[in-house]
Amino acid sequence: MRFLFKTHYDQDVRLFRHGGQVFWYGLLLAALFVAPWLLPDYYVSQLVFIWIYAIAAIGLMILVGFTGQVSLGHAAFLAMGAYTEAYLHQHGWPFALSLTFSALVAGITGIIVGLPALRVKGMYLAIATLAFGFIVEEGVARAESITGGNAGKAIGSLEVFGLPIDSEQRFYYLSLFVLVLVVIGVMNLLRSPTGRAFVAIRDSEISAQSMGINLARYKTIAFALSAAVAGIAGALYAHKLRYLSPDQFTFLQSIELLIILVIGGVGSIYGAIFGAAFWIAVQQFIVLAKDWLPPAIAQQTGLQPTVFGLILVAFVLFEPMGLYGRWLKIRTFFQLFPFYRKGLFRRQKSYMKSERLK
Amino acid sequence: MLQFLQLIASGIAQGCIYGLIALGFVLIYKATETINFAQGDLMMLGGFLGLTGTLALGLPFWAAFAAALVAMLFFGMALERAVLRPLLGQPAFTVVMVTIGIGYLARGLVTMIPEWGTDTHVLPVPYKDDIVSIGGTDGLILSMEHIVIIAVTALLIVGLYLLFKHTKIGIAMQATSQNQLAAFYMGIPVRRINMLVWGLSAAISACAGLLLAPITFVHANMGFIGLKAFPAAVVGGFGSIPGALVGGLIIGVVETLAGFYLPEGFKDIAAYIVVLVMLAVKPNGLFGENLRKKV
Amino acid sequence: MTPLLTASHLSVQFGGLKAVNDVSFEVWPNEVFSLIGPNGAGKTTIFNLISGLYRPTAGLVTFEGEKISHLAPYEIARLGIARTFQNIELFEHATVMQNLLVGRHCHRHTNWFQDLLFTPKVRATELQFRRTVEEVIEFLELQHYRDSMVAGLPYGVRKVVEVGRALAMRPKLLLLDEPSSGLNVDETEDMGFWIEDIKHDLGITVIMVEHDMGLVSRVSDRVFALNQGEELALGTAAEVQSHPAVIEAYLGGADEDDVPAGAGAAA
């Protein structure tokens, strides 16, 4: 075990807790930097999907994992970001500007979607966001002059500060760069009053407001930021796919993002990234497995939803803290070896916590 | 005018379906404070079971109908016992995610079952294409499918009313939904009651599926209609049984009218616009109670 | 001298139930003012009225001469009124340190955008917040639990953490809702010392709802007794305890089981 002797408050505030962390994260970043040169294009392309999904999942994590508000309509924010980016790109805006603007548009949509959150919570909020999701989906399909409607919309090639992003490698670096920026931004929030206000609202609204936190304001900020980050992911997604149609932003897409959070572990940035990586990997694995499995199973169109369902149910039942929780357990096991107890992370059984106590 | 009445009638029939699924949501919500996102998929399973009953086993329609309900009752109970009971006491979000997983599983596995698969099936019903006209040949024309939906829903509601008011189990269910802990201390087997509630809810959904089958056919994704039953439950005030039905009727009628009078596209989102308006005007729904946390 | 807080003709009604009925009192700077009364007397309701969680149906609350009973809870907190809760409302999935830091929330000078970039100003505020929080940690002897998750702490410690979180606000007025409930004799003793220190060393005015009359007599300057939402008696602990109406309220009803001597359960 590592013991930290803090001699300055600054050590509490820093992004990295100790030199070891700086080293390992540096190594990770270096590995990710050389990866596109070593891997075949196909895998680089899959990694890009992981980065984009991770950004979207971090967006949702701000809302669900940190602020404790539910959203069943996050695909709508992806759609807002993606279509804004596609539209602005078509009209010749430079990427840095159009990306910012896409985030802004998605963020403003987030504020509107978040309005019900000021009055209702839990399941009512879930249904309000679900409703908004469907309305945006339908709106995208109908606004043919901007979105191309159900026929879809193609997006031209991308150029960033004069550099054409014409290969998988270049797009890989671009999306990784955006992901790192998003991660740093969210970590900054979490170590500052705004992030703590989010967590306070998640854990107890009553005492959050008694501590001087304006619930309406912070819920709105959480919705706006969450939607803006999802919008950034949407904008990258648009360039990655080069073709947008409304059926990419359905209710099931919103649900997929939630599943990613559960698999990765709700309540941490690691969770969002682990979950996204796992999710993309599973889809690839299903594609690969189809070659080995007997055709009777491999041909089934129901294979993918069955696997998704199994994974989700298994995670909730057996690893409710997600992949990040599993990682924590493994790490603790080695740190405490041989004193690790099996019950160390056991969930406490609580009697049903009722929100409807009078 | 006649056309308007015609629309209202089919809206009511559609609304009954939403109402029944919403009823399934509400029963489970009242008992466990979680939402079963697989409600629509349970409905789909009911439809498929009816299909097997009539086609593969050659049962008469109403016998197959009853058999499917009983089968789903047991399926719902088994589901509760196997997947949901271990999660008792966990946050609602966890349980919701697990029901979403069950929904995926159901949709996936159904397509792997021979005879069911990914195809769209026609459930043969004895009342197919029958119509009843009220007020002569140019009067109001009601299709038999709609009449059966409305009649069966009404019967079911009366049955449920009797169950909750006059049977020991029904009263135990009510007690459990109002205060689980107190019910437990009074000697009510809360877990078994929860299991029954899941069974009942699954059976009601199956009933909706079987009633809907002649209109929309049976297929693996028919359960997505459950997403419109959600707004119905909220409009009625989640947690209120009559509310679920009224909410379903409102959504059904508004949707049908929107489909006829408004531009294309509004039909599909009518339910969601209604629910957003409802949340803005009366967040607790028509029959909901206003509760706040005590400190 | 002007009173720090006044409640005048305060009433609140839930449906047909008059939870608080025409209650008036004044709290002077730097005193410990205790509210006592049997379960359902309206003590916690008065707290909720002061901190803005409920709106009075009649009457008003003023703080430092300004009317506050129309303000939202977060605005009231910003004026310098902190509180704890009967059943502990901590941020369960955060560390003790983070809980206390939330107490500094009203003293932030940065907005979310600066937080996103973690500007030098944010860093400076964070360091300053930690200095204040460390003082509170030292004051309440919470060093050992600084980085523990609240969810895993014993009840007694949580109770102290909640007081700490309120103190981290550096409030002018502190509302303690049953600070000793669920604590053992030693812990109650400690709580008594801390309340005295809060008054003497930190100069914070305290309003306290409490059932343990031992603790009430030890720390209170004045005691206000309530029953069924109405005033019974006001005075020193000894005066109130010997007041006939108070004895009647506690012992008069045959089914009352809540004698002031015992540590009370939740109201």
Side-chain angles (χ1 to χ4, degrees):
Chain A
M1 272 201 102
R2 182 192 288 269
F3 288 98
L4 287 178
F5 295 100
K6 294 181 186 165
T7 50
H8 195 276
Y9 295 137
D10 216 23
Q11 281 170 294
D12 243 10
V13 179
R14 272 179 209 153
L15 276 182
F16 298 107
R17 304 225 166 275
H18 49 79
Q21 275 192 337
V22 179
F23 175 76
W24 287 112
Y25 282 111
L27 199 66
L28 177 68
L29 213 58
L32 292 178
F33 195 78
V34 296
W37 290 330
L38 305 177
L39 293 174
D41 263 7
Y42 179 74
Y43 287 98
V44 176
S45 162
Q46 294 308 312
L47 282 174
V48 171
F49 273 118
I50 294 181
W51 305 152
I52 295 175
Y53 269 78
I55 296 171
I58 290 173
L60 186 58
M61 189 68 91
I62 294 175
L63 201 62
V64 176
F66 298 132
T67 321
Q69 310 292 306
V70 204
S71 168
L72 295 180
H74 242 59
F77 304 130
L78 278 178
M80 291 312 286
Y83 279 103
T84 309
E85 172 65 26
Y87 185 80
L88 295 178
H89 182 74
Q90 190 184 4
H91 287 75
W93 287 41
F95 180 70
L97 208 58
S98 65
L99 184 70
T100 315
F101 205 78
S102 304
L104 205 65
V105 169
I108 291 167
T109 321
I111 293 176
I112 298 167
V113 176
L115 284 177
L118 308 183
R119 299 190 64 187
V120 298
K121 44 185 157 181
M123 165 205 59
Y124 290 94
L125 178 60
I127 286 161
T129 54
L130 175 118
F132 269 113
F134 276 108
I135 290 169
V136 168
E137 190 186 329
E138 192 65 33
V140 164
R142 298 289 154 194
E144 284 172 10
S145 59
I146 300 171
T147 65
N150 282 319
K153 184 182 183 75
I155 293 135
S157 57
L158 178 63
E159 211 173 80
V160 180
F161 295 118
L163 182 74
I165 305 293
D166 49 6
S167 65
E168 280 301 342
Q169 274 88 352
R170 287 186 177 176
F171 196 69
Y172 172 96
Y173 288 123
L174 177 70
S175 44
L176 182 61
F177 178 69
V178 176
L179 172 64
V180 170
L181 282 190
V182 167
V183 168
I184 292 176
V186 175
M187 285 175 75
N188 281 344
L189 278 183
L190 288 177
R191 59 182 174 146
S192 60
T194 307
R196 281 197 300 269
F198 289 166
V199 171
I201 291 174
R202 177 192 69 189
D203 284 358
S204 168
E205 288 196 3
I206 291 264
S207 61
Q209 49 183 332
S210 304
M211 293 288 114
I213 293 168
N214 180 346
L215 296 184
R217 182 177 160 79
Y218 281 92
K219 282 184 183 177
T220 306
I221 293 175
F223 261 97
L225 283 174
S226 171
V229 172
I232 291 174
L236 289 174
Y237 196 66
H239 286 296
K240 172 68 186 154
L241 294 183
R242 304 220 173 118
Y243 195 81
L244 294 177
S245 67
D247 57 11
Q248 290 155 345
F249 304 102
T250 58
F251 169 70
L252 284 178
Q253 178 84 0
S254 305
I255 293 295
E256 268 185 36
L257 284 176
L258 275 176
I259 297 178
I260 287 176
L261 297 200
V262 171
I263 291 177
V266 180
S268 78
I269 299 176
Y270 297 101
I273 299 173
F274 286 176
F278 186 85
W279 190 246
I280 300 294
V282 165
Q283 300 194 6
Q284 289 314 305
F285 186 76
I286 293 174
V287 173
L288 288 178
K290 280 189 175 167
D291 296 340
W292 308 333
L293 288 170
I297 299 174
Q299 307 288 311
Q300 298 285 353
T301 49
L303 186 63
Q304 190 165 337
T306 309
V307 174
F308 287 180
L310 269 181
I311 290 173
L312 180 57
V313 172
F315 262 100
V316 175
L317 286 180
F318 304 116
E319 191 54 275
M321 291 161 77
L323 289 170
Y324 179 58
R326 174 52 49 189
W327 156 245
L328 281 184
K329 283 177 203 175
I330 294 171
R331 202 179 60 180
T332 317
F333 177 81
F334 283 109
Q335 280 177 342
L336 295 182
F337 188 81
F339 300 115
Y340 184 82
R341 284 185 296 119
K342 225 184 153 195
L344 211 57
F345 284 92
R346 185 169 302 149
R347 281 192 279 192
Q348 282 195 333
K349 280 262 179 204
S350 58
Y351 213 82
M352 193 175 81
K353 274 191 203 147
S354 178
E355 282 293 321
R356 48 183 185 202
L357 280 175
K358 276 189 220 184
Chain B
M1 188 59 206
L2 191 64
Q3 192 178 39
F4 183 72
L5 284 179
Q6 200 76 55
L7 287 171
I8 295 282
S10 72
I12 288 177
Q14 185 67 29
C16 283
I17 299 291
Y18 293 148
L20 285 180
I21 308 173
L23 197 60
F25 279 124
V26 167
L27 281 176
I28 290 179
Y29 179 74
K30 274 179 88 84
T32 58
E33 279 189 44
T34 47
I35 310 170
N36 174 21
F37 265 81
Q39 204 70 42
D41 302 297
L42 293 176
M43 180 194 97
M44 175 265 293
L45 286 181
F48 272 108
L49 284 177
L51 197 70
T52 303
T54 45
L55 294 183
L57 306 179
L59 294 174
F61 175 73
W62 291 107
F65 192 102
L69 292 199
V70 173
M72 284 307 290
L73 180 78
F74 284 106
F75 181 77
M77 285 162 61
L79 202 60
E80 195 279 340
R81 181 68 197 85
V83 185
L84 293 137
R85 192 169 300 173
L87 293 172
L88 198 68
Q90 297 302 324
F93 179 73
T94 311
V95 184
V96 165
M97 289 315 290
V98 108
T99 61
I100 288 176
I102 294 171
Y104 267 99
L105 265 177
R107 286 194 297 277
L109 287 175
V110 153
T111 62
M112 296 190 187
I113 292 174
E115 302 296 313
W116 292 10
T118 49
D119 301 335
T120 300
H121 303 272
V122 182
L123 180 66
V125 291
Y127 49 83
K128 183 87 194 137
D129 295 333
D130 286 353
I131 51 164
V132 173
S133 49
I134 299 167
T137 40
D138 27 273
L140 191 61
I141 297 168
L142 297 176
S143 76
M144 206 56 198
E145 283 114 343
H146 287 169
I147 293 176
V148 169
I149 290 177
I150 297 169
V152 173
T153 306
L155 270 177
L156 200 69
I157 295 300
V158 172
L160 281 175
Y161 177 80
L162 293 175
L163 174 78
F164 283 119
K165 274 280 175 294
H166 297 291
T167 67
K168 225 175 159 181
I169 286 184
I171 291 167
M173 282 182 183
Q174 280 201 50
T176 310
S177 75
Q178 281 176 20
N179 190 336
Q180 220 176 51
L181 203 57
F184 183 72
Y185 287 145
M186 296 313 286
I188 292 172
V190 168
R191 293 179 178 185
R192 229 177 321 146
I193 291 290
N194 278 352
M195 192 161 92
L196 272 176
V197 167
W198 269 82
L200 194 60
S201 168
I204 291 171
S205 296
C207 182
L210 290 162
L211 291 173
L212 187 65
I215 301 174
T216 64
F217 309 113
V218 179
H219 54 93
N221 286 334
M222 78 187 283
F224 282 120
I225 198 175
L227 293 174
K228 284 192 184 159
F230 243 142
V234 173
V235 167
F238 233 100
S240 156
I241 289 176
L245 206 70
V246 174
L249 292 179
I250 291 174
I251 298 278
V253 170
V254 169
E255 189 182 83
T256 312
L257 292 179
F260 191 79
Y261 292 108
L262 293 177
E264 206 190 344
F266 274 96
K267 184 176 190 289
D268 291 328
I269 55 171
Y272 304 111
I273 293 176
V274 170
V275 77
L276 286 177
V277 171
M278 195 67 196
L279 285 174
V281 178
K282 205 167 179 296
N284 294 304
L286 290 174
F287 297 84
E289 338 160 52
N290 185 11
L291 301 175
R292 57 200 292 180
K293 195 178 166 193
K294 190 188 163 177
V295 289
Chain C
M1 197 161 64
T2 53
L4 184 67
L5 180 121
T6 62
S8 40
H9 306 289
L10 208 54
S11 299
V12 71
Q13 210 168 336
F14 299 115
L17 176 78
K18 283 185 176 163
V20 172
N21 192 11
D22 198 26
V23 167
S24 302
F25 57 84
E26 290 170 342
V27 180
W28 299 96
N30 209 19
E31 74 169 336
V32 175
F33 186 85
S34 292
L35 299 174
I36 64 162
N39 290 337
K43 305 175 301 279
T44 298
T45 311
I46 290 181
F47 267 27
N48 288 343
L49 286 168
I50 295 175
S51 57
L53 294 174
Y54 296 162
R55 292 255 166 276
T57 30
L60 66 126
V61 182
T62 65
F63 182 67
E64 295 184 312
E66 302 284 327
K67 181 183 169 200
I68 58 164
S69 41
H70 62 288
L71 297 176
Y74 75 91
E75 292 169 313
I76 292 173
R78 281 177 194 176
L79 294 176
I81 300 181
R83 73 170 286 182
T84 66
F85 296 87
Q86 208 174 96
N87 297 317
I88 304 189
E89 288 279 338
L90 283 170
F91 308 120
E92 292 282 320
H93 303 284
T95 63
V96 169
M97 181 60 139
Q98 284 166 331
N99 267 275
L100 297 189
L101 282 169
V102 174
R104 298 302 296 158
H105 186 88
C106 342
H107 301 271
R108 68 181 295 196
H109 314 288
T110 56
N111 59 31
W112 66 270
F113 193 69
Q114 288 166 304
D115 284 355
L116 189 70
L117 303 174
F118 213 75
T119 55
K121 194 175 171 194
V122 177
R123 182 180 292 269
T125 330
E126 279 297 300
L127 297 184
Q128 194 196 328
F129 280 3
R130 279 183 165 68
R131 212 160 293 134
T132 318
V133 166
E134 289 297 341
E135 281 166 26
V136 173
I137 286 178
E138 195 161 305
F139 179 75
L140 294 174
E141 294 158 26
L142 283 169
Q143 292 90 339
H144 184 64
Y145 304 104
R146 181 187 280 117
D147 295 316
S148 315
M149 285 296 234
V150 168
L153 294 178
Y155 192 86
V157 178
R158 289 171 182 225
K159 207 89 197 175
V160 179
V161 172
E162 212 188 15
V163 174
R165 188 181 61 181
L167 284 179
M169 282 173 70
R170 285 273 176 265
K172 294 171 190 155
L173 176 65
L174 177 62
L175 311 177
L176 297 175
D177 199 348
E178 301 197 13
S180 82
S181 76
L183 300 186
N184 64 32
V185 180
D186 287 345
E187 289 168 334
T188 307
E189 183 96 337
D190 286 344
M191 190 59 85
F193 283 121
W194 281 320
I195 294 171
E196 284 170 344
D197 287 351
I198 287 169
K199 178 188 156 189
H200 290 125
D201 299 353
L202 304 178
I204 296 171
T205 311
V206 177
I207 306 181
M208 173 171 89
V209 165
E210 184 52 63
H211 280 287
D212 183 334
M213 282 311 284
L215 181 63
V216 169
S217 334
R218 210 179 104 198
V219 301
S220 316
D221 296 296
R222 287 190 303 149
V223 176
F224 185 82
L226 287 152
N227 189 29
Q228 298 184 344
E230 296 185 14
E231 173 178 348
L232 283 184
L234 174 66
T236 65
E239 283 165 16
V240 169
Q241 259 176 306
S242 57
H243 195 284
V246 176
I247 296 170
E248 168 73 21
Y250 276 100
L251 303 174
D255 52 341
E256 291 286 355
D257 54 356
D258 198 50
V259 188

